[in-house]
């Protein structure tokens, strides 16, 4: 057996150079190949973040909705792929990006070449897939505002509008050569484009849907509706954390001089600081080291460092993460105080931390790194100039206004025409049974018709 294995390895060793280098590749071809592999790997990592979202939303909500959460996440990711191929990619990156500052136009029903053209850094296919994964993440963030009370049909309709228009317009403004890109807006991997966009769509949904049954009392006080599996939630954070290296480091879209390693390094520091700060602030204020707050703080640190991971020094990455961890703790309390029911904490983790992460560039970005990335200028500390901070503030305000207006319009029309909240009876029974006819945990749930409150 050993002899046969050695013989096979010897034959492979002899044949492989012939197969791989039948034509002597140029340095450009090798570089393109490495870049393609890197972007494809990053796409896979970001796509696998959907597994993190499944566990996050499932663990943070009740058992009677578990199957619904998992199924609709897979379904809407698939639907998003089709809509992005038909319309979204063209709106974000289609045509000559320098022609239209407001939205792209062209490349609808995207039909890519089968391989990279001469001089390309990577084939357009892998770039499309990478950008699609980002759009799907933003969509999954939006679902936090729908949790435990929205009809399945509402997910379908909103996916179409969000992936075809809302998200691509924002992506074009900042990443596709639009007007904010021309102003020098810095958002390396999407604190604004992905996270704030998704969070504001979630905000519009949760306002129009109104709180879940039993969340708030008549006197305005809030009841805690606990998620059914904190282990799922913790595992989701780990999966999202790993996927974030595709998210942030993958946004270099090149192997190059290894700059992706620096981006990953800052990402790790920001995440760690967010988790530590959130645990400590919850411990100091409440007397208990709250696990949910710590998990939210870790994600908030990741969200905040996403915009600035390629623009700041490591010490600044730590500061950005620390602030995000504290911010998410108080943000959750704020939204509860104003009676906004946010089961997945999307508004705090992705919204508040997304705003902070975007603004942080204007404070901590260095001129050296801004020049390297080729976007904007150094921030207030490095240059003494307020210019970049103003641009970052501008991007938050205009993106926020657009996404809120578009989301309220789409969801408001949906509410009038089709309604997008399930009935009280369906909500009490749970979306697994009322929307799909089966439970995610069939052996642990009571039979239909019995009193199912948990």
């Amino acid at each position: 057996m050993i002899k046969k294995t050695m013989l096979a390895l010897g034959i492979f060793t002899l044949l492989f150079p012939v197969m791989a280098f039948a034509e002597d590749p140029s340095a450009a071809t090798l570089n393109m190949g490495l870049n393609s592999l890197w972007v494809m790997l990053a796409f896979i990592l970001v796509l696998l973040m959907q597994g993190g979202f499944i566990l996050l939303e499932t663990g943070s909500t009740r058992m009677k909705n578990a199957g619904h959460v998992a199924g609709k996440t897979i379904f809407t990711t698939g639907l998003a792929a089709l809509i992005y191929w038909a319309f979204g990619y063209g709106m974000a990156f289609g045509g000559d990006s320098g022609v239209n500052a407001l939205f792209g136009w062209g490349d609808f029903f995207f039909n890519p070449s089968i391989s990279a053209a001469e001089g390309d850094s990577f084939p357009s296919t892998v770039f499309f897939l990478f950008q699609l994964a980002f759009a799907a993440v933003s969509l999954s963030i939006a679902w936090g505002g729908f949790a435990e009370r929205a009809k399945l049909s509402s997910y379908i309709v909103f996916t179409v509008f969000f992936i075809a228009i809302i998200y691509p317009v924002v992506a074009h403004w900042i990443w596709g050569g639009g007007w904010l890109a021309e102003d020098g807006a810095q958002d390396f991997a999407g604190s604004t484009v992905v996270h704030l966009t998704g969070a504001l769509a979630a905000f519009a949904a949760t306002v129009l849907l109104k709180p879940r049954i039993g969340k708030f009392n008549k006197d305005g006080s809030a009841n805690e509706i606990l998620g059914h599996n904190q282990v799922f939630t913790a595992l989701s954070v780990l999966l999202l954390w790993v996927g974030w290296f595709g998210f942030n480091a993958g946004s270099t879209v090149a192997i190059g001089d290894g700059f992706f390693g620096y981006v990953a390094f800052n990402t790790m520091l920001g995440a760690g600081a967010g988790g530590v700060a959130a645990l400590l602030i919850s411990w100091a204020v409440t007397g208990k080291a709250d696990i949910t707050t710590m998990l939210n703080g870790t994600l908030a640190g990741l969200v905040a460092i996403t915009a600035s991971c390629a623009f700041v020094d490591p010490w600044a990455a730590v500061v950005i993460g620390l602030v995000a961890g504290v911010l998410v703790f108080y943000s959750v309390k704020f939204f509860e105080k104003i009676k906004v029911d946010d089961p997945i904490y999307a508004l705090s983790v992705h919204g508040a931390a997304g705003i902070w992460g975007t603004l942080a560039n204007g404070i901590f970005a260095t001129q050296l790194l801004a020049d390297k990335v080729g976007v904007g200028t150094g921030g207030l500390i490095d240059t003494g100039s307020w210019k970049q901070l103003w641009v970052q503030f501008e991007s938050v305000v205009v993106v926020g206004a657009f996404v809120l207006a578009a989301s309220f319009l789409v969801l408001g029309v949906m509410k009038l025409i089709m309604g997008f909240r399930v009935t009280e009876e369906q909500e009490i029974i749970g979306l697994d049974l009322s929307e799909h006819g089966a439970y995610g945990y069939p052996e642990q749930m009571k039979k239909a018709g019995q009193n199912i409150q948990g």
Side-chain angles (χ1 to χ4, degrees), residues 228-251:
H228 84 278
N229 196 321
Q230 198 168 68
V231 176
F232 276 11
T233 309
L235 182 57
S236 77
V237 172
L238 179 61
L239 287 174
L240 290 168
W241 194 341
V242 171
W244 230 287
F245 291 107
F247 211 88
N248 285 5
S251 292

Side-chain angles (χ1 to χ4, degrees), residues 311-335:
F311 292 96
V312 301
D313 290 330
W315 69 267
V318 173
V319 173
I320 291 168
L322 290 172
V323 173
V326 174
L327 178 64
V328 78
F329 173 77
Y330 287 105
S331 177
V332 167
K333 292 186 176 300
F334 167 76
F335 283 113

Side-chain angles (χ1 to χ4, degrees), residues 6 19 80-81 90 95 116 123 131 137 160 222 236 283 310 321 329 345 352 395 397 441:
M6 294 298 293
M19 292 186 292
Q131 293 300 329
V137 166
V160 173
S236 77
W283 201 349
F329 173 77
Y345 308 109
S395 66
V397 171
Y441 294 98

Side-chain angles (χ1 to χ4, degrees), residues 337-352:
K337 187 174 182 179
I338 63 172
K339 299 182 180 60
V340 172
D341 184 13
D342 180 19
I344 318 300
Y345 308 109
L347 309 183
S348 300
V349 170
H350 302 278

